[in-house]
């Protein structure tokens, strides 16, 4: 099952990529939501091979996910592979410059079940796919607006 959306962002591609690749901020955000997150590699710079282990509660069950950056092209995008016991997911970000101050972000997440319980979970998600797609798009729009606000405040300062 796949979710995807495209958002046009009023910000240069360099600034947009910088905010989309602020992995430290994503870690802090997950920690604020109650997840445990730790880096599992020793890379000093952003790039392929960055990895994290995460544990959190979802619907009353403890879940564990391992994430690894499997593709990374500065200002073009990246791909993250997420592994759990039941599902493998691939999250992809592709950026395209529309003009000096406008960027199109294409975001996609593909879920692939690995077990019977994973298949049941994905099948259940298919039943509510339109609702989940709306939530996915809303989060993408909210993040795009956050990027625009941060770029405007940086450029006006």
């Amino acid at each position: 099952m796949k979710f995807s959306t495209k958002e046009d962002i009023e910000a240069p591609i360099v600034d947009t990529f910088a905010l989309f690749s602020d992995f430290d901020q994503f870690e802090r955000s997950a920690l604020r939501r109650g997840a445990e997150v730790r880096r599992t590699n020793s890379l000093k710079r952003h790039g392929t091979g960055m990895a994290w282990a995460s544990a959190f509660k979802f619907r009353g069950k403890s879940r564990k996910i391992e994430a690894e950056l499997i593709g990374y092209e500065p200002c073009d995008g990246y791909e993250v592979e997420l592994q759990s016991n039941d599902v493998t997911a691939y999250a992809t970000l592709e950026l395209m410059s529309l003009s000096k101050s406008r960027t199109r972000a294409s975001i996609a997440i593909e879920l692939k079940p690995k077990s019977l319980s994973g298949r049941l979970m994905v099948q259940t998600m298919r039943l509510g796919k339109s609702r989940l797609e709306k939530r996915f798009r809303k989060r993408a729009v909210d993040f795009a607006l956050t990027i625009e606000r941060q770029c405007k405040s940086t450029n006006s300062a």
Side-chain angles (χ1 to χ4, degrees):
M1 183 163 77
K2 189 171 187 174
F3 298 97
S4 62
T5 188
K6 292 181 181 175
E7 295 302 324
D8 291 350
I9 302 169
E10 291 292 331
I13 194 167
V14 172
D15 296 340
T16 301
F17 185 78
L19 292 168
F20 265 112
S21 61
D22 187 354
F23 301 117
D24 293 334
Q25 175 63 29
F26 294 139
E27 288 177 36
R28 289 189 299 272
S29 178
L31 290 169
R32 280 194 302 273
R33 291 183 170 96
E36 297 173 26
V37 179
R38 67 181 170 80
R39 286 278 297 271
T40 57
N41 68 302
S42 59
L43 293 176
K44 301 286 186 233
R45 296 183 313 187
H46 286 84
T48 302
M50 290 179 75
W52 299 265
S54 178
F56 55 93
K57 283 206 180 253
F58 181 71
R59 295 191 178 178
K61 280 184 78 176
S62 183
R63 315 279 181 166
K64 292 182 180 180
I65 292 179
E66 293 183 7
E68 182 179 355
L69 203 59
I70 59 172
Y72 185 86
E73 291 295 325
C75 292
D76 286 339
Y78 56 79
E79 184 174 8
V80 179
E81 180 182 63
L82 302 126
Q83 296 274 347
S84 74
N85 289 339
D86 301 322
V87 177
T88 298
Y90 297 94
T92 306
L93 168 71
E94 293 177 356
L95 298 177
M96 182 173 59
S97 182
L98 300 175
S99 71
K100 267 181 159 177
S101 62
R102 193 167 176 83
T103 304
R104 176 165 293 152
S106 300
I107 307 160
I109 298 176
E110 185 174 5
L111 303 170
K112 296 182 178 184
K114 299 192 307 188
S115 66
L116 180 60
S117 60
R119 285 184 186 160
L120 289 171
M121 183 180 79
V122 170
Q123 188 62 34
T124 303
M125 291 174 76
R126 278 193 181 106
L127 295 173
K129 188 169 183 189
S130 64
R131 181 178 46 87
L132 291 171
E133 281 179 329
K134 285 179 188 173
R135 286 176 56 191
F136 180 71
R137 284 190 185 106
K138 182 178 179 351
R139 295 238 173 143
V141 167
D142 290 346
F143 194 68
L145 291 172
T146 299
I147 290 172
E148 288 177 1
R149 279 193 301 272
Q150 287 185 0
C151 286
K152 283 180 185 173
S153 68
T154 302
N155 292 336
S156 66

